[in-house]
Amino acid sequence: MNKDNLNDIQTWNRISAGDREAFALIYKAYSKDLFKYGFGFTHDEDLIQDAIHDVFVHIWNVREKISIHRSIKFYLFSSFRREIIKMVNHQYKRESIDEYHAKFLWEESFEELLQKHQIVSESAVKINEALENLPLRQKEAIYLRVLEELDYEEISELMGVQVPSIYNLIFKGIKTLKNSLDFRKIAISFFYFALLNF
């Protein structure tokens, strides 16, 4: 079953009742996305895997007490974000999460999207150079909106920022990218997606 076809209510009811097959289904559907998101915080693959493991173990252990208010995907991303920040903070005590986080950001995930849309390597280099100049929160907000297709309310709750601020972050980020790139020569369909759905 494709994750886009998951009926969250039915799936979660099965998980709450102890259905391991349904639980394995959401792991298979979302673990790769969580892993990619984790690369925005650290390149330590073992740490990311540990965070994913801990999130799923915790969810299974308290499954009967969990209520899914938005979607399974949002709940997983929200839980994973808290866990990865906690683990990175613990492992890299001498620097803040923002300082460590800023070293890696989201370029590799955007690079994958560029390849998906068959954007030529020269254009990809220019886009990544433009992305490097975006502030951390702008980049994360754009990542969550464009790559993960979360809505603005979900991004707001996940990042702990008011919805108008999320609109502002994404608008400013897209505007900066537009000013840095020649849209006549570079077909950046995923940025158009963000603009059209703003």
Side-chain angles (χ1 to χ4, degrees):
M1 183 184 297
N2 188 284
K3 67 181 178 182
D4 293 331
N5 298 324
L6 286 174
N7 182 311
D8 283 4
I9 295 175
Q10 292 178 349
T11 301
W12 194 256
N13 285 340
R14 289 171 58 191
I15 293 170
S16 296
D19 188 329
R20 292 181 180 273
E21 183 178 344
F23 189 67
L25 182 66
I26 66 165
Y27 180 87
K28 183 178 180 181
Y30 297 112
S31 58
K32 289 182 180 179
D33 290 339
L34 292 174
F35 188 84
K36 292 176 185 176
Y37 185 45
F39 261 81
F41 298 90
T42 176
H43 277 188
D44 186 335
E45 296 186 14
D46 290 337
L47 190 69
I48 297 171
Q49 292 286 14
D50 288 345
I52 294 172
H53 174 267
D54 288 355
V55 164
F56 276 93
V57 167
H58 175 74
I59 289 173
W60 179 257
N61 289 337
V62 299
R63 63 190 182 279
E64 295 177 359
K65 301 176 183 178
I66 296 175
S67 297
I68 301 296
H69 299 293
R70 292 186 179 275
S71 67
I72 290 174
K73 178 175 182 176
F74 172 76
Y75 185 85
L76 289 171
F77 267 74
S78 181
S79 299
F80 175 75
R81 189 179 194 273
R82 287 193 300 271
E83 185 64 22
I84 195 70
I85 288 176
K86 181 180 73 174
M87 293 177 76
V88 169
N89 273 333
H90 177 74
Q91 183 160 336
Y92 302 95
K93 296 177 182 177
R94 295 181 181 178
E95 53 191 343
S96 70
I97 182 63
D98 283 346
E99 290 171 337
Y100 188 76
H101 189 18
K103 294 178 181 177
F104 300 107
L105 306 172
W106 316 100
E107 278 82 5
E108 290 190 11
S109 294
F110 281 110
E111 180 77 27
E112 184 176 324
L113 190 63
L114 296 175
Q115 293 172 359
K116 176 181 176 182
H117 288 273
Q118 299 180 333
I119 297 174
V120 297
S121 59
E122 181 182 354
S123 299
V125 170
K126 292 178 181 178
I127 293 169
N128 275 333
E129 288 175 353
L131 284 166
E132 288 176 4
N133 295 322
L134 292 182
L136 169 64
R137 284 191 172 274
Q138 285 183 15
K139 199 173 302 187
E140 183 177 4
I142 291 171
Y143 174 91
L144 292 169
R145 178 70 189 117
V146 178
L147 274 80
E148 295 302 337
E149 299 182 9
L150 298 184
D151 63 37
Y152 293 99
E153 289 75 17
E154 289 174 329
I155 299 170
S156 168
E157 188 173 336
L158 196 153
M159 293 181 62
V161 179
Q162 295 295 319
V163 172
S165 297
I166 295 297
Y167 277 101
N168 194 42
L169 284 171
I170 294 176
F171 177 78
K172 286 185 175 180
I174 297 295
K175 184 177 180 181
T176 298
L177 291 170
K178 283 185 67 179
N179 291 336
S180 302
L181 300 165
D182 187 343
F183 270 44
R184 292 170 301 176
K185 295 180 180 178
I186 302 175
I188 317 176
S189 58
F190 62 100
F191 289 135
Y192 281 121
F193 167 84
L195 288 168
L196 291 172
N197 290 276
F198 190 72

